[in-house]
Amino acid sequence: MRQITVAALQLALNAEDERDNIAAVGALVEEASASGAQIVLPPELFSGPYFCKVEDEALFALARPTLEHPAVIAMRNMARALKVAIPTSFFERDGHHYYNTIAMIGPDGEVMGTYRKSHIPDGPGYEEKYYFRPGNDGFKAWDVFGARIGVGICWDQWYPECARAMALLGAEVLFYPTAIGSEPYDADLDTSRMWRRAMIGHAVSNCMPVVAANRIGMEDGQRFYGHSFIADEWGDFISDVGAEETGVLLATLDLDRAATHRAGMGFFRDRRPELYARLARDE
C-alpha cells in the first residue's frame, strides 16, 4: 500500500518584515514534519502581506530570481534539514519579467523545478495582472516520496482544465497554495464555500486528493478567510479548519486506494478528447 503524509499550513502573514512571515511559516513546517508530514504546503506568497490589492510600481522590488528569494532560500534549508518537500510560493523576477511562481523544493533541499501561475486574476482587491506575467511554461507534475503531485496557484484552482491537465501528466495529488478572502466591491459576498466546492469538484472528477492552504487575518481592510482543507479522492474532508485557526492540517493519503477508485470510475477511460477542440479556442 502506497501512502503519503501531507500537510497544509494556515496562518496570518501580515508582518511587514518578511523575515517574520517566513519564520512563522518555518515554525509550522517544523511542526508538520514532527507530526510525520512528507510534503508541506504553505499558502501563496507567504513572505509578506498580500500586496496585489493595489497597483504600486515600488512593490516590484519584492520580486527576486528564484534562488535569491528569501522564501526559497529558507524553505530549501528547512527541506534539507527536515527531509520534507515544500512547494514554495514566491514573487519571481526573471530579467524584465515577473511571475507568481512555485519552486518545487525536494527533500534534499534542491529546487526540482518551477511552475508559474497560469491564470492571473484582475479585479478589486486582486489586481495581479499589474504585477504578474501569465505563466509560460505549462502545467507541471513532480515525483516525490513515491508519489506524483501537481501544484496550481490560487486562481488556477477555479479552472477544471488546470486540474485535468495535471492529472493527465500523471499527478496523483493536487496542491493549491492560496491567498483569498473578502471581496472589496461586495461586503456581503463570501466566496469561501464556492472556493472549497470548486476544488472538491477537481477531487471528485479526477478521483484524487486535493490539498489547499490559505492565509487568514486582516490586511489593510481585507480579511482572508482561511478554510484550508485536505480532501480525499471522493472529495470528503480528511482535515479542515475554519476562518481563524492557525496551525497544521495533516492527513495520510492512500494512493493505491485512490488509484483503484480512479480506474473503477472510468473518468480517464471514457474521455473523448477528439470532441474537446472547442476548449482550446479563445472565442
Side-chain angles (χ1 to χ4, degrees), residues 155-179:
W155 194 228
D156 287 334
Q157 69 210 352
W158 296 87
Y159 290 83
E161 297 90 347
C162 174
R164 179 53 57 88
M166 291 188 289
L168 290 172
L169 290 169
E172 301 174 279
V173 186
L174 303 178
F175 290 78
Y176 294 104
T178 298

Side-chain angles (χ1 to χ4, degrees), residues 92 99 101-102 113-118 134-140 142:
E92 178 195 3
Y99 300 94
T101 300
I102 285 289
T114 61
Y115 164 69
R116 292 167 169 168
K117 186 173 182 176
S118 298
N136 58 0
D137 53 359
F139 301 111
K140 304 288 182 66
W142 290 281

Side-chain angles (χ1 to χ4, degrees), residues 1-8 32-39 145 147 172-173 175 208-211 229-233 236-240 248-258:
M1 179 171 60
R2 284 188 311 129
Q3 294 183 326
I4 189 81
T5 300
V6 301
S33 174
S35 298
Q38 297 164 280
I39 306 174
F145 291 113
E172 301 174 279
V173 186
F175 290 78
M208 63 184 58
V210 167
V211 183
F229 69 90
I230 302 172
D232 68 10
E233 69 271 18
D236 293 323
F237 290 148
I238 305 172
S239 181
D240 67 300
V248 174
L249 293 78
L250 197 74
T252 297
L253 307 174
D254 187 333
L255 299 176
D256 283 340
R257 184 190 73 183

Side-chain angles (χ1 to χ4, degrees), residues 272-279:
R272 297 290 306 281
E274 70 276 14
L275 303 180
Y276 303 158
R278 182 65 182 85
L279 297 179

Side-chain angles (χ1 to χ4, degrees), residues 12 48 90 187:
F90 70 103

Side-chain angles (χ1 to χ4, degrees), residues 216-271:
I216 58 172
M218 288 293 295
E219 298 182 18
D220 193 25
Q222 188 172 17
R223 180 176 297 280
F224 290 85
Y225 55 55
H227 284 99
S228 303
F229 69 90
I230 302 172
D232 68 10
E233 69 271 18
W234 295 136
D236 293 323
F237 290 148
I238 305 172
S239 181
D240 67 300
V241 290
E244 299 180 358
E245 294 93 333
T246 294
V248 174
L249 293 78
L250 197 74
T252 297
L253 307 174
D254 187 333
L255 299 176
D256 283 340
R257 184 190 73 183
T260 297
H261 290 159
R262 197 157 51 245
M265 291 300 293
F267 294 141
F268 293 87
R269 176 197 64 208
D270 297 337
R271 291 181 66 248

Side-chain angles (χ1 to χ4, degrees), residues 36-80:
Q38 297 164 280
I39 306 174
V40 182
L41 181 69
E44 180 186 22
L45 298 172
F46 63 80
S47 64
Y50 180 74
F51 59 89
C52 305
K53 295 187 296 295
V54 297
E55 297 183 3
D56 182 350
E57 65 181 13
L59 295 175
F60 282 99
L62 296 172
R64 319 285 210 291
T66 300
L67 298 181
E68 297 176 20
H69 197 286
V72 175
I73 292 169
M75 293 304 111
R76 289 186 68 192
N77 290 335
M78 297 210 74
R80 185 181 300 111

